[in-house]
Amino acid sequence: HCAAKNSEKVMDVLLDVPGVNVTARSNEGTTALHYLCRRIPTEKMTTLFEKLEKLKVDFGAVNNNLETPLHFAASSLQNSPLA
């Protein structure tokens, strides 16, 4: 979670570690994908999403507030220079 929340480079490295648990949740039920989607979009994120897809991450995961990663992505995109 910390890697997804703070560093795309660290997350990229961790996703290559055999046996990494991409479905782990915080106390709020938030996954690494939620945190990644909360970040402002960058080119590197495409690679991270592709790796997560290969690892069979649940793109529809719901946290304790009934928010999916898509909710976080939409909010981040509103604050992005790409918007």
Side-chain angles (χ1 to χ4, degrees):
H1 291 113
C2 186
K5 192 174 182 179
N6 298 306
S7 173
E8 292 171 12
K9 289 180 184 178
V10 173
M11 185 171 183
D12 189 31
V13 170
L14 289 176
L15 289 176
D16 289 331
V17 173
V20 65
N21 183 358
V22 295
T23 62
R25 294 177 175 265
S26 69
N27 291 336
E28 295 82 29
T30 304
T31 66
L33 182 59
H34 283 90
Y35 286 117
L36 180 62
C37 288
R38 185 180 283 168
R39 300 177 58 82
I40 300 297
T42 66
E43 291 179 27
K44 182 66 176 170
M45 289 176 89
T46 302
T47 303
L48 295 173
F49 284 123
E50 288 170 352
K51 284 185 176 189
L52 286 167
E53 184 177 32
K54 286 180 185 175
L55 293 169
K56 307 289 186 209
V57 70
D58 181 5
F59 282 88
V62 178
N63 67 12
N64 297 353
N65 293 324
L66 303 178
E67 299 164 315
T68 67
L70 183 59
H71 288 103
F72 288 92
S75 176
S76 292
L77 193 56
Q78 286 178 341
N79 300 318
S80 167
L82 301 174

